[in-house]
Structure formats: C-alpha cells, structure tokens
Amino acid sequence: KLQETQLEFQFDFNSYMVEKANLVNQALDDAVSLKEPVMIHESMRYSLLAGGKRVRPMLCIAACELVGGEQTTALPAACAVEMIHTMSLMHDDLPCMDNDDFRRGKPTNHVVYGEDVAVLAGDALLSFSFEHVATATENVAPDRILRAIAELAKCVGAEGLVAGQVVDICSEGADDVGLDQLEFIHLHKTAALLEASVVLGAIMGGGSDEEIEKLRKFARSIGLLFQVVDDILDVTKSSEELGKTAGKDLVVDKTTYPKLLGIEKSREFAEKLNKEAQEQLSEFDHRKAAPLIALADYIAYRQN
Amino acid sequence: TSSISTTFDLKTYWSTLREEINQKLDEAIPVQYPHQIYESMRYSVLAKGAKRAPPVMCVTACELLGGNRLAAFPTACALEMVHAASLIHDDLPCMDDDPSRRGKPSNHTVFGMDMAILAGDALFPLGFRHIVSHTPTNLVPEAQLLRVITEIARAVGSTGMAAGQFVDLEGPPNAVEFVQEKKYGEMGECSAVCGGLLAGASDDEILRLRRYGRAVGILYQVVNDVLEAKSKSKSKSEEEKKGKSYVGVYGVEKAVKVAEDLRAEAKRELEGFEKYGEKVLPLYSFVDYAADRGFSFVDSI
C-alpha cells in the first residue's frame, strides 16, 4: 500500500529495474537448473545468468501489469525472451559470426566451453524458451498461451530477429545501405525481441487486441530509438564516457543514422520516435504506464 | 508377429504420405526477403532423398488412435523443421564437420557457416509457429497442442538430442547407448508421441507409443551401423568414428542381437493396440522396415 502511494508521486525507475531484475534472475536460475549432461547446462547458465539489465523481461512484466495482469503470470514469458536474447548473443559471438571473445567483460561462451557446446547450448535455450512458456505459465487460458508462442516464434525467426541478422551480415562493407535497409535491420535485429517482450506480457495479462497493438507499436518505436541513440552516442561521446570504444562505427565505416542524416536530424528523429512511443501509452492508466514511460525516456536520454 | 506386416504395402503407404508431406513443407517455407535465409532453410528441409520417417510416424500414430490426419500434418512438418535445424548445426565444422549430407554439400558448405547457424536458429521457431498457425482448432484442443509443443521442445533440447550430440562430441567415451538413444531414439519417440497426443490418446497409450518410437528410432540406427560395417566401401572418416557406433564398440554380432531385441521390444508395445485392428499394421511394418530395409525410395540415396 505504502509503495503504491509513493508511486503516484514519483516513479523510481532505478528501484523498479533492480527489483524486477532480481525477480527475473531468481526465476532464470530456477528455470535452468544443473542437469546431466552438466557441461551443456553450465554453458546455458553461464551466459543466461551473466547479468545484464534484463530490459526485455522488465518490458514483458510491465506490459502484463499495465493491462491488469499479475507479474507472476508473465514471469515464464519474461524468462523466455531473455533466454532467446541470450542465445542470439551466444551464436552472434561465434568465430563464424562476429567473432567476439569478450562480452560484458567476461570471456564469451565459446571461449569458455568451446564452439560446439556454445552452438548446442544456444539451441537448447531456444527450444527451452518455448517449453518454458508452454509448461510454466499459470492462470492463462491455453489459447492465449498458444497465441503467445506463435508471437514469440514469429518475432525471433526468419521474419524477425534472424531476418535482421541476415540483412546486417549482408550489408557489411556495402556502401549503398539506405535508410530503409538500416531501419529494416534495427526493426528486426533489436525491435522484434522488444516487441515480443511487450506483446507476450500483454497477451498473458489478458490485454485486448487494441492494447496489444498499441504496445507493439510502442516497442517498435523504442527499439528503433535505442539504435538511433546508440549511433549518436558513438560519434558524440568519448570512450571514457561510454565505457566502450567510441567512434567504432566511423572506423569500420558502418552505416548509421548520423552518417545518413547528420547529427541534428538524427536527434530530431530520436525525439520523434520517443514521442511516438509515449503516444501509444497515453490512453493507459498513467500510474501503471510509469515503468514503460520511464524506460522510453531512459533509452532516449541515456548518456552511455 | 513378423508375418502380420507382410500383408501391408508399406512402400505405397509411405511413398504417398511422403509426397504429401514434401508438398506441405514446400508450402510452409515460401521465399521472402531476405531470400538467402529462406533458401538456406529450404535447401535442408526440402533435400531430396529425405525419407520423412518422423512425420510419417506422427501421422500414422495419430490415425491409429482415431485422429484425423489433417490434425497431424502441421506437427509432422514441424518435426522435419526442427530435425533439419539439428542436422544443419550438427554438420558444422565445429561439430561433426561433415561437408556433405545425403550425397549433397552440407548447408554451411553452400551458404556459409553464419547462414547455416541462422537457418537452424530460424527453423526451430518456425516449427512451433507452424503447429500453432496451421493445426485446425476444431480437431485438436489447445491444451493438447501445448503438450505437443512441449514434447518437441524437450526432444530437441538439452536433455534430448542436444545432449546426445554433446556426449557424442565431448564424451565420456563408450557412451554409445546414451548417444544412440538421444540422437536417434528421441526423434522416433517424439514423433510417435506427438501423433498420439494429437489424437487425444490415453496416458497408457502415450507411454506405449513412447517406448515403441524410441525402440524403432534406435533400431534404425543400430541397423545402419551394421550395414555400414558390412559394406566394404568404408571411408576413413567413418573409420575414425568407430567408437561412436554400436558395431565399433560391441562388434557386429552383439549389434545384430541388440537389433533383434529392439525389434521384439517395439512389437511388444504394439500389442496394446490390437483393439484397433488393421490400423496398427503400418506401425508393425515400420519396425520391420527399420530392421530389414525391405525397399528404398526412387530418389533416396
């Protein structure tokens, strides 16, 4: 009760993020236990429990609560989107893909467990995410769970996440990448999983079709927003401020929004996307929408 | 019981179903933008020579228990999609390093390793999505479909086929039983069980289908090992994998004995379906086919 009253006055985004991250971390730890063969499960847990802000699960839970659901109802779906996020990073880091040895300051999965295990553990996380939604979701009618599974599958497959990765790979080194193609990559590579996160949350929470579609638009806008801001930060901030190498995009001559639009127009575009995202939330209960509003602002105004 | 199946024309039955499944798979993966990924997915899923044993097993089990085969086709296709995904990843240089499969270059040989990884990553979800979007809702209750999805996810997951592939690559040595059971038994089990679930089979029937499908899947692979050992044209790479086959570990004689036991075990499970009369004949004939390889398909290799 006390907490609710405080929320009405001021929404504490940091506490909210920490609280949800703790909830999700515990649920992920429980969902993927150490079984035989131990090493493959260790590999799954190594990347899954490596930390991270848990933005996708938070979106899933916030969307569920926004449409009037309980957070526990969305928790299996929230874990599922994080499992898929994790497995896509594991496969992305492989030598035949981006060939990254480190992620978040830790050796990547294949460096620790070998490429074969990293491929298999990624596959296992992918299939388990669907199993987890199917078996662990409580108090939701089977037709809604099936709808959620179909949404998840669409957002992460060849029409979603994978499509973004493919076009990204094919665009490497190309000098004729236009705005449409850049937007396609980001809408699929980044926004699709954010979309799955809020849509699954809204489905599990019992949201109406109209509510689900509003949240879908919200997620697509903040997905794109995230990338535009990322591109701007890369050229305007120092490595020190970013906590990672700045100016990387220029060095590899990557196609970015500043490159295609210039800094000013990119900033305007980011403003427009944030506004579009916020508009989708305007008809919801303002207090319940506070986490999503804060998240969009966080993405728009972050300094690193 | 081995004579019972001789009255059934498995080759015609199987070929007809196989054609139908090939057509449905073709329709299930239309080429869209970005076309590379769809072509890579289609290359492996629609590869010529695939017997379509898992989908045929699924459809047959469904029909045996009174289900409509239209209820089983989407799941049957999904089984091929996730199976193809596993095989694409198994062939990668960091795994089995097989440059070819069924006499054709492997997926990564044609499309590159990055595309092969992503094609597999796209086929797993496509399988689940296909089940949800294509299964006629008037034929299968939603709760049953959730069980089907769970069954498939488990079969390919970290305690199923992925576990088999892991132990195959990383040991411990002489775990051939575990590897065969997980890599080959799991798909047979899953196929038969999914067919039963779609038809609304009882728990007892599901359990029988489970043991039956597992035995047939392993039987098929053990017989493969025996046939391979007997053929004189063994390539060097197969020789290297000696510790990975039944024959390599136990010798031909023991492998033949194991195959006979599996054949008997599979047929024993089918005794529980006698009440369905002649409808059980296809399942009997699958067992004999796995053991004897009485025929081959025109375009198979």
Side-chain angles (χ1 to χ4, degrees):
Chain A
K1 272 273 160 72
L2 181 69
Q3 228 180 353
E4 271 185 27
T5 327
Q6 283 175 338
L7 275 170
E8 278 185 281
F9 292 109
Q10 192 191 21
F11 178 71
D12 185 347
F13 183 61
N14 285 333
S15 313
Y16 183 87
M17 286 290 275
V18 170
E19 183 205 320
K20 298 304 176 198
N22 286 339
L23 178 79
V24 168
N25 287 338
Q26 186 60 53
L28 288 171
D29 193 347
D30 295 340
V32 183
S33 53
L34 267 188
K35 285 184 260 192
E36 290 288 340
V38 172
M39 200 211 252
I40 194 168
H41 292 93
E42 264 176 13
S43 161
M44 290 161 82
R45 288 171 58 86
Y46 176 82
S47 293
L48 189 62
L49 305 177
K53 290 190 280 288
R54 309 302 188 198
V55 168
R56 290 156 194 81
M58 193 216 87
L59 281 170
C60 185
I61 292 168
C64 176
E65 291 186 318
L66 177 58
V67 299
E70 299 281 329
Q71 68 174 9
T72 48
T73 312
L75 201 47
C79 290
V81 291
E82 191 67 13
M83 287 175 202
I84 292 178
H85 175 57
T86 302
M87 70 74 57
S88 82
L89 297 179
M90 286 162 73
H91 284 183
D92 259 354
D93 289 338
L94 286 167
C96 67
M97 304 272 271
D98 289 348
N99 195 16
D100 279 322
D101 288 347
F102 284 92
R103 179 172 288 280
R104 293 194 192 116
K106 280 175 70 179
T108 43
N109 201 290
H110 65 270
V111 171
V112 180
Y113 297 97
E115 287 176 53
D116 52 349
V117 178
V119 173
L120 286 171
D123 289 352
L125 276 176
L126 179 56
S127 57
F128 184 67
S129 67
F130 289 93
E131 179 184 339
H132 193 59
V133 173
T135 58
T137 304
E138 287 175 355
N139 305 317
V140 180
D143 65 318
R144 285 226 162 215
I145 303 178
L146 283 180
R147 185 173 168 191
I149 286 172
E151 276 284 351
L152 183 61
K154 183 173 186 228
C155 289
V156 304
E159 284 180 40
L161 178 57
V162 170
Q165 291 168 306
V166 169
V167 177
D168 193 20
I169 288 171
C170 297
S171 309
E172 261 166 42
D175 52 11
D176 58 348
V177 178
L179 264 183
D180 286 350
Q181 196 169 338
L182 188 63
E183 186 166 305
F184 182 95
I185 293 170
H186 295 322
L187 276 181
H188 290 79
K189 216 181 152 176
T190 308
L193 198 49
L194 302 184
E195 180 183 332
S197 305
V198 294
V199 168
L200 260 67
I203 291 174
M204 297 309 194
S208 67
D209 288 355
E210 199 193 335
E211 289 174 321
I212 291 169
E213 292 318 307
K214 281 204 166 113
L215 287 167
R216 189 192 299 282
K217 277 192 200 149
F218 166 81
R220 291 169 68 85
S221 294
I222 62 164
L224 214 46
L225 174 63
F226 182 88
Q227 286 302 334
V228 178
V229 172
D230 219 45
D231 287 354
I232 296 170
L233 291 174
D234 188 76
V235 286
T236 56
K237 295 282 172 183
S238 68
S239 299
E240 216 172 20
E241 286 169 305
L242 286 181
K244 62 179 180 187
T245 319
K248 239 170 45 181
D249 298 342
L250 282 173
V251 173
V252 297
D253 197 29
K254 207 176 115 187
T255 305
T256 63
Y257 283 98
K259 187 180 164 189
L260 294 181
L261 297 175
I263 297 277
E264 265 325 296
K265 281 267 188 309
S266 298
R267 284 200 171 115
E268 283 168 27
F269 186 43
E271 273 305 317
K272 181 172 158 263
L273 287 168
N274 190 19
K275 194 164 159 276
E276 276 171 13
Q278 306 277 359
E279 272 166 15
Q280 302 305 321
L281 303 174
S282 62
E283 282 169 39
F284 289 97
D285 179 311
H286 191 74
R287 187 179 57 83
K288 279 191 181 163
L292 294 182
I293 293 169
L295 185 90
D297 283 334
Y298 164 74
I299 289 171
Y301 303 119
R302 70 204 158 95
Q303 298 300 314
N304 57 38
Chain B
T1 45
S2 77
S3 62
I4 193 168
S5 66
T6 56
T7 60
F8 178 73
D9 181 5
L10 177 66
K11 188 176 178 181
T12 303
Y13 174 84
W14 193 328
S15 302
T16 311
L17 260 180
R18 183 168 168 262
E19 279 306 307
E20 214 165 334
I21 287 154
N22 282 341
Q23 197 197 327
K24 292 202 185 304
L25 284 169
D26 188 12
E27 290 161 5
I29 317 175
V31 177
Q32 305 170 50
Y33 178 81
H35 60 93
Q36 298 96 319
I37 189 71
Y38 292 96
E39 269 155 21
S40 167
M41 290 156 78
R42 288 174 63 84
Y43 179 82
S44 290
V45 173
L46 304 175
K48 287 246 184 320
K51 293 188 191 65
R52 309 299 181 201
V56 169
M57 173 93 86
C58 172
V59 172
T60 304
C62 177
E63 280 194 317
L64 166 67
L65 292 152
N68 186 329
R69 68 164 61 179
L70 294 177
F73 277 125
T75 299
C77 289
L79 288 166
E80 283 296 283
M81 292 173 189
V82 299
H83 195 195
S86 293
L87 297 180
I88 293 170
H89 286 181
D90 282 359
D91 286 341
L92 286 167
C94 65
M95 300 263 246
D96 295 341
D97 193 14
D98 272 327
S100 67
R101 173 170 292 276
R102 293 196 191 102
K104 278 176 73 187
S106 306
N107 197 292
H108 65 267
T109 312
V110 179
F111 298 94
M113 284 192 272
D114 47 3
M115 223 39 83
I117 297 237
L118 291 172
D121 290 353
L123 280 169
F124 285 112
L126 183 63
F128 297 121
R129 190 180 165 199
H130 192 72
I131 293 173
V132 181
S133 59
H134 283 72
T135 308
T137 44
N138 58 326
L139 295 179
V140 188
E142 279 118 353
Q144 286 299 98
L145 275 194
L146 284 176
R147 287 181 70 185
V148 167
I149 287 164
T150 303
E151 190 69 33
I152 295 175
R154 266 190 202 143
V156 296
S158 64
T159 57
M161 285 162 70
Q165 175 68 0
F166 167 78
V167 173
D168 198 5
L169 291 167
E170 299 286 339
N174 295 327
V176 65
E177 279 102 342
F178 181 87
V179 172
Q180 301 262 17
E181 196 172 321
K182 294 295 181 184
K183 276 186 87 165
Y184 308 104
E186 202 76 40
M187 204 63 208
E189 170 179 334
C190 174
S191 308
V193 167
C194 283
L197 288 171
L198 290 161
S202 70
D203 289 351
D204 176 63
E205 287 170 330
I206 294 292
L207 195 60
R208 282 184 179 276
L209 286 173
R210 199 174 280 293
R211 292 187 295 236
Y212 163 83
R214 175 159 293 233
V216 175
I218 302 169
L219 169 63
Y220 185 87
Q221 191 55 34
V222 172
V223 171
N224 255 12
D225 289 350
V226 171
L227 293 175
E228 213 166 88
K230 283 180 177 170
S231 79
K232 294 196 174 86
S233 58
K234 262 191 295 180
S235 73
K236 206 176 177 186
S237 71
E238 278 161 327
E239 200 79 76
E240 284 164 4
K241 285 184 196 164
K242 234 182 158 184
K244 314 273 183 184
S245 86
Y246 255 102
V247 177
V249 176
Y250 296 113
V252 171
E253 226 169 281
K254 169 93 192 286
V256 169
K257 172 78 174 59
V258 167
E260 276 313 309
D261 290 348
L262 287 165
R263 187 206 288 249
E265 191 186 321
K267 290 192 174 179
R268 211 162 42 239
E269 296 301 336
L270 292 181
E271 285 165 18
F273 300 110
E274 298 285 311
K275 66 174 173 179
Y276 295 104
E278 289 205 334
K279 281 207 290 187
V280 76
L281 289 183
L283 290 185
Y284 274 105
S285 62
F286 290 158
V287 184
D288 290 330
Y289 174 82
D292 304 331
R293 309 296 157 93
F295 60 87
S296 59
F297 296 101
V298 186
D299 64 344
S300 68
I301 294 154

